[in-house]
Amino acid sequence: EPEVTQTPSHQVTQMGQEVILRCVPISNHLYFYWYRQILGQKVEFLVSFYNNEISEKSEIFDDQFSVERPDGSNFTLKIRSTKLEDSAMYFCASSGTGVGQPQHFGDGTRLSIL
Amino acid sequence: AQTVTQSQPEMSVQEAETVTLSCTYDTSENNYYLFWYKQPPSRQMILVIRQEAYKQQNATENRFSVNFQKAAKSFSLKISDSQLGDTAMYFCAFMNYGGATNKLIFGTGTLLAVQP
């Protein structure tokens, strides 16, 4: 069964540095998402992406964050000038066309800001 | 704004028994989708079951079934014949129908431990 893959599985970064989290969605999916889960808390929506542009973003997704689909397979989340509170698990997800299609998640990237 | 509430932070069940996880939600919309996702210690979020709000029939998927009460805005998950591999965090999630995107709104999760 096709899977969403995320790299790296764990990223440790100094505060103030930039990080790029990478995702390869399922190949025939057209909707892509990033979610965040701070340790012990619920999963929170960050951003959705369709047709090479952001379709919706949460209030968490401020100017510090950006997403890109640099080629036909990768979907990246960039976090500039990282802060301690950016430490979390970041999940990428993708879904097919059609209303109510379930989202398929990757294994997540654990981001630790020191 | 929609909200999802899971009032049971932790639950425990004996292997082979049945357990029900609760979920309530709040929305003014009439058409939407509800999901249960499972997150085992390996941390990947796995879809367990999906329910369309316009369908009165409760969704089932092998040992997993839901009790969807639209008027009460309740969406509980029943796991029959519990297995050790069912040990995981379970998240209830809401998706609005026809929204700008298909974003999911998650509850806080219920940690289920299946005991041998």
Side-chain angles (χ1 to χ4, degrees), chain B residues 6 21 36-38 77 79 86 88-92 109-110 112:
Chain B
Q6 293 179 251
L21 309 183
W36 279 97
Y37 279 87
K38 166 184 175 181
L77 175 69
I79 306 174
D86 295 333
M89 181 73 85
Y90 286 81
F91 291 99
C92 178
T110 296
L112 176 67

Side-chain angles (χ1 to χ4, degrees), chain A residues 98-102, chain B residues 4 25 29-36 49-55 68 75 92-98 102-105:
Chain A
V99 181
Q101 290 298 307
Chain B
V4 177
Y25 57 93
E29 303 293 334
N30 191 47
N31 292 321
Y32 46 86
Y33 297 85
L34 296 162
F35 303 84
W36 279 97
I49 203 163
R50 170 179 176 260
Q51 174 80 42
E52 294 111 326
Y54 60 86
K55 286 189 178 179
F68 173 50
F75 182 61
C92 178
F94 174 98
M95 178 192 292
N96 194 19
Y97 178 98
N102 296 326
K103 73 176 181 185
L104 290 168
I105 300 168

Side-chain angles (χ1 to χ4, degrees), chain A residues 3 9-10 31 33 35 37 42-43 45 48 55-56 89 91 95 98-110, chain B residues 4 33 35 37 39 42-47 50 89 91 95-109:
Chain A
E3 291 185 344
S9 58
H10 191 190
Y31 292 86
Y33 311 84
Y35 291 85
Q37 185 182 28
K42 66 180 179 181
V43 179
F45 169 77
S48 58
S55 46
E56 187 173 358
M89 182 74 80
F91 289 101
S95 66
V99 181
Q101 290 298 307
Q103 294 177 21
H104 298 261
F105 285 78
D107 285 350
T109 293
R110 179 168 297 285
Chain B
V4 177
Y33 297 85
F35 303 84
Y37 279 87
Q39 188 181 36
S42 63
R43 78 188 183 193
Q44 185 181 21
M45 297 276 283
I46 303 166
L47 176 68
R50 170 179 176 260
M89 181 73 85
F91 291 99
M95 178 192 292
N96 194 19
Y97 178 98
T101 67
N102 296 326
K103 73 176 181 185
L104 290 168
I105 300 168
F106 286 89
T108 50

Side-chain angles (χ1 to χ4, degrees), chain A residues 61-94:
Chain A
F61 194 89
D62 58 20
D63 292 342
Q64 185 192 4
F65 295 87
S66 61
V67 290
E68 191 179 30
R69 188 158 164 81
D71 52 44
S73 59
N74 290 283
F75 179 51
T76 62
L77 174 68
K78 181 189 290 185
I79 309 174
R80 289 179 284 273
S81 187
T82 50
K83 299 175 282 195
L84 294 176
E85 53 264 39
D86 294 327
S87 295
M89 182 74 80
Y90 288 82
F91 289 101
C92 174
S94 69

